[in-house]
């Protein structure tokens, strides 16, 4: 079945550091790929998404590129802020799949220190 | 819009007790779902509903019941709580359908501890 593997956390960075959170997936065909963010005490929010190979999703300074050849969707940000401290989840959904078919990774806790 | 709301935010139960986690949304979404989030694991789907009167099981349904009498509300019932149900529970809703109409909106979660 489909699966998502994220880098182990927690990740601790200083403000303005470069961020990469690795995400690889196993799925048939061309799934849609997502990054969700969960701020402390809140529910998950969609951060960005990509629906086909070589697409780049971006939002709030975060980017991720859909790499079919490496089955990856790594999250990057050039300069993190304290306000980016959160848990980040990578997820996939089969092509034209429904919401119930979302498969989540285990999440990566990010802490940004001033 | 309030979005997706959940009550309570925190709950402590003793083994064998029952309770209902409440979830409501005001976006007229057809699709609603319940997830549990455990340390080191992603969210796992418990139950979902594609519309009022229609529910189905997800990946981990044992020990939980749901009903959907209105579009807005989707309560999750624990009939006899067990320590294995200690978790954070999230309710989510979406427009439904397939493809790009599926962005899910999540509630803030309920942290449940079963002693």
């Amino acid at each position: 079945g489909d699966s998502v593997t994220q880098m182990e956390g927690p990740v601790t960075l200083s403000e303005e550091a470069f961020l990469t959170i690795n995400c690889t997936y196993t799925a048939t065909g061309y799934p849609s790929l997502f990054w969700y963010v969960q701020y402390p005490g809140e529910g998950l929010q969609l951060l960005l998404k990509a629906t086909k190979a070589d697409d780049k999703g971006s939002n709030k300074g975060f980017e991720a590129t859909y790499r079919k050849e490496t089955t990856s969707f790594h999250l990057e940000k050039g300069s993190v802020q304290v306000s980016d401290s959160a848990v980040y989840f990578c997820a996939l959904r089969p092509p034209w799949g429904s919401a119930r078919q979302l498969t989540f990774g285990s999440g990566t806790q990010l802490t940004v220190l001033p | 819009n309030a979005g997706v709301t959940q009550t309570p935010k925190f709950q402590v139960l003793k083994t064998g007790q029952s309770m209902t986690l409440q979830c409501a949304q005001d976006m007229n979404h057809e699709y609603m779902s319940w997830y549990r989030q455990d340390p080191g694991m992603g969210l796992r789907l418990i139950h979902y509903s594609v519309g009022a009167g229609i529910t189905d099981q997800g990946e981990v349904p044992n020990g939980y019941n749901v009903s959907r009498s209105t579009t807005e509300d989707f309560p999750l019932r624990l009939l006899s709580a067990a320590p294995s149900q200690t978790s954070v529970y999230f309710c989510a809703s979406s427009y439904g359908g397939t493809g790009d109409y599926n962005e899910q909106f999540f509630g803030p979660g309920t942290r449940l501890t079963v002693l």
Side-chain angles (χ1 to χ4, degrees):
Chain A
D2 296 346
S3 66
V4 176
T5 302
Q6 285 182 239
M7 65 184 291
E8 292 285 329
V11 174
T12 302
L13 296 174
S14 298
E15 207 165 24
E16 299 184 2
F18 185 85
L19 169 71
T20 299
I21 300 178
N22 290 337
C23 171
T24 57
Y25 68 90
T26 302
T28 55
Y30 289 80
S32 296
L33 301 174
F34 305 85
W35 277 101
Y36 284 84
V37 58
Q38 182 183 20
Y39 297 105
E42 299 182 11
L44 279 71
Q45 303 173 25
L46 180 63
L47 180 60
L48 53 85
K49 66 180 181 183
T51 57
K52 59 183 186 294
D54 299 325
D55 264 1
K56 178 184 284 188
S58 62
N59 186 23
K60 299 182 180 180
F62 291 89
E63 293 182 341
T65 301
Y66 190 140
R67 301 288 188 198
K68 179 64 176 174
E69 64 276 12
T70 55
T71 62
S72 64
F73 193 55
H74 305 321
L75 183 67
E76 297 182 336
K77 187 175 185 182
S79 176
V80 294
Q81 305 300 313
V82 171
S83 57
D84 294 327
S85 298
V87 181
Y88 293 83
F89 292 90
C90 187
L92 69 79
R93 188 188 71 225
W96 294 101
S98 65
R100 66 182 175 272
Q101 294 170 288
L102 271 175
T103 299
F104 287 89
S106 58
T108 302
Q109 172 79 55
L110 170 67
T111 301
V112 180
L113 303 175
Chain B
N1 282 352
V4 180
T5 58
Q6 291 183 239
T7 56
K9 288 190 175 182
F10 301 94
Q11 183 70 48
V12 179
L13 293 178
K14 295 181 179 179
T15 297
Q17 287 185 314
S18 63
M19 79 159 296
T20 299
L21 280 62
Q22 301 291 344
C23 173
Q25 52 90 11
D26 61 358
M27 297 174 282
N28 202 33
H29 284 166
E30 289 296 320
Y31 180 86
M32 297 185 73
S33 56
W34 277 102
Y35 292 89
R36 59 178 290 170
Q37 180 186 21
D38 300 298
M41 305 183 74
L43 276 68
R44 293 183 292 168
L45 184 63
I46 303 171
H47 285 284
Y48 65 94
S49 168
V50 298
I54 306 170
T55 64
D56 206 346
Q57 297 180 351
E59 180 185 356
V60 288
N62 292 342
Y64 308 95
N65 281 351
V66 292
S67 60
R68 184 97 179 270
S69 56
T70 67
T71 299
E72 294 78 20
D73 301 297
F74 191 44
L76 179 72
R77 298 184 187 86
L78 285 71
L79 297 180
S80 179
S84 61
Q85 294 178 302
T86 294
S87 187
V88 180
Y89 292 85
F90 289 100
C91 180
S93 74
S94 64
Y95 175 80
T98 59
D100 286 346
Y101 297 104
N102 274 336
E103 179 179 346
Q104 290 207 76
F105 294 83
F106 286 82
T110 295
R111 186 174 294 274
L112 175 67
T113 301
V114 183
L115 303 176

